[in-house]
Amino acid sequence: MTSTADHAIVVQHLVKSYGEKRAVDDLSFSVRRGEIFALLGPNGAGKTTTVEILEGYRAPDAGTVRVLGLDPQHDAAQLKQRIGVMLQQGGIYPTVTASELLHLFRHFYRDPEDPEKLIDLVGLRESAHVRYRQLSGGQQRRLALAAALIGKPELVFLDEPTTAMDPQARHLTWGIIRDLRERGLTVLLTTHFMEEAERLADRVAIIDHGRLIALEEPKVLTQANAEEVQFTAPPGLDLATLAALPAANSAREPRPGFYVIDTARPADLLAEVTAWARDAGILLNDLRVGHESLEEVFLRLTGHELRE
Amino acid sequence: MNALLAQTRMELLLSLRRAEGILITMIVPVILLIFFASIGLKPDDYEDPIDFLLPGMLALAVMSTGLVSLSIRTAYERNYGVLKRLGSTPLSRPTLIGAKILATMAVQVVQIAVLVGIAVAGYGWRPSGAFLWALLAVLLGTVVFAGLGLLMAGALRAETTLALANALYIGFLLLGGIVWPVEEMPGLLSIPARLLPSSAFADALRETLSAQPTLPWVNFLILAAWSILAIVVASRTFRWE
């Protein structure tokens, strides 16, 4: 049972179409209070549409959504005091500085956070008086994150929070988002960046064509197929030969030239694969033992790659 | 400070940071006033050029703030997703529109003070007329041109708004009773020109600010009709994203 006491967000049988296209197609999921929940899917999967319905920007065609126990359409004024929103892009006056923006937004909320604390939190102290359009892409995203936090929200929506960030800024931002969870906030984020979902989220909903494909903890999703040995080699190798190696259970070639062999004894299989390749005169690249990555999970579940 | 005042202050800050906005709202009316007053441009039925020119330049200044400055700024805010982002904060839309109107009126107070100051100091203009009626004309003009500006900003692409706002500004300036009375336009052109909001506004100011002021009820009716048209169409067509 999903109750609004334990859940920050409850989505039931949500449908939203734009003309002929069903952007969201009978989608149901719930986000527990205090968790980081990721919507993972390729561009056009319906992530942003779903989030914008939860934020109150759009009305559903069918189905129900509850956010902090409220209806985003009818209880908008109440809800806006309690949520923070980071749009996928833009949303900030180009000629305004971080300091000016946060000091403006402060006046919209009943119990605002100190803007100076937020500037330090997102690492914009040295750029606090630089106009938005002169900030780097990553700095602009961090200011958008700070603006989402100014109202001391219980729940934040982060739509693709780390796009346009370099690795350093991305890790800084992941740290900030984890700290939000420590402080008891609920985070709903969308991403098409699997490492982000894997590292950050307590639970991941994989979405494709507006439908829910899977909903699990990241490690459950990626360990579904036990262990495996992966390598790249010329495309078109005989899969039956690979599957017949003593330690192998099955073999597949999900992309041309990329091979995955499932096994219960990865160390033995590794030795067998290298011996076979030496005898056959085949050069193996990127040979590794591992779990499926979320990208491979996505490929297996949907039949196509995450980035397209 | 409450949300309305904070947002009004932001709107004023944003106006000040657009140099081309200041050019069209402050500098152009001042230069035109000084230029035409110095060459003594006036229709035959005015004794002193400043009595004809000052109301026209006041109308131009008030018009440019709503029709050009407000519309272009708002159109780009929509384009940049700022209006959308503000929509998810507790700042209500009536408060946002209210802040934009307050900021527009604050700019107009400065414009009027500067233009009247130049007319008094440089050209011996002595305030006369029915000031309350003149104030009503300014308020009606503000609503008409801010309404037309927001109509464009909410319905058209930012680039289209930019081009159209400037085209309307030039059109009203040249053909809309601002620098030359529409009665003296050739033949049939004078009738539609008389119905333009700019000529109704400029004429209303000339009638109320003259030594023998009259109640410009026809022009007030024209301005009221334009106000209602702009508000009704804008509220139906305005898109926030």
Side-chain angles (χ1 to χ4, degrees), chain A residues 13 50 81 131 140 148 152 195 228 248 253 258 301:
Chain A
H13 304 294
T50 302
Q81 283 286 352
R131 294 184 184 187
Q140 292 182 341
K152 287 191 188 157
E195 192 189 353
E228 57 189 29
E253 188 182 357
F258 178 69
L301 293 174

Side-chain angles (χ1 to χ4, degrees), chain A residues 52 57 80 91 93 95 100, chain B residues 1 7 17 80 84 87 241:
Chain A
E52 291 193 347
Y57 281 116
K80 285 170 186 174
Y93 298 108
T95 56
E100 287 164 344
Chain B
M1 190 162 45
Q7 185 63 34
R17 290 198 177 156
Y80 293 136
K84 178 179 180 176
E241 28 181 304

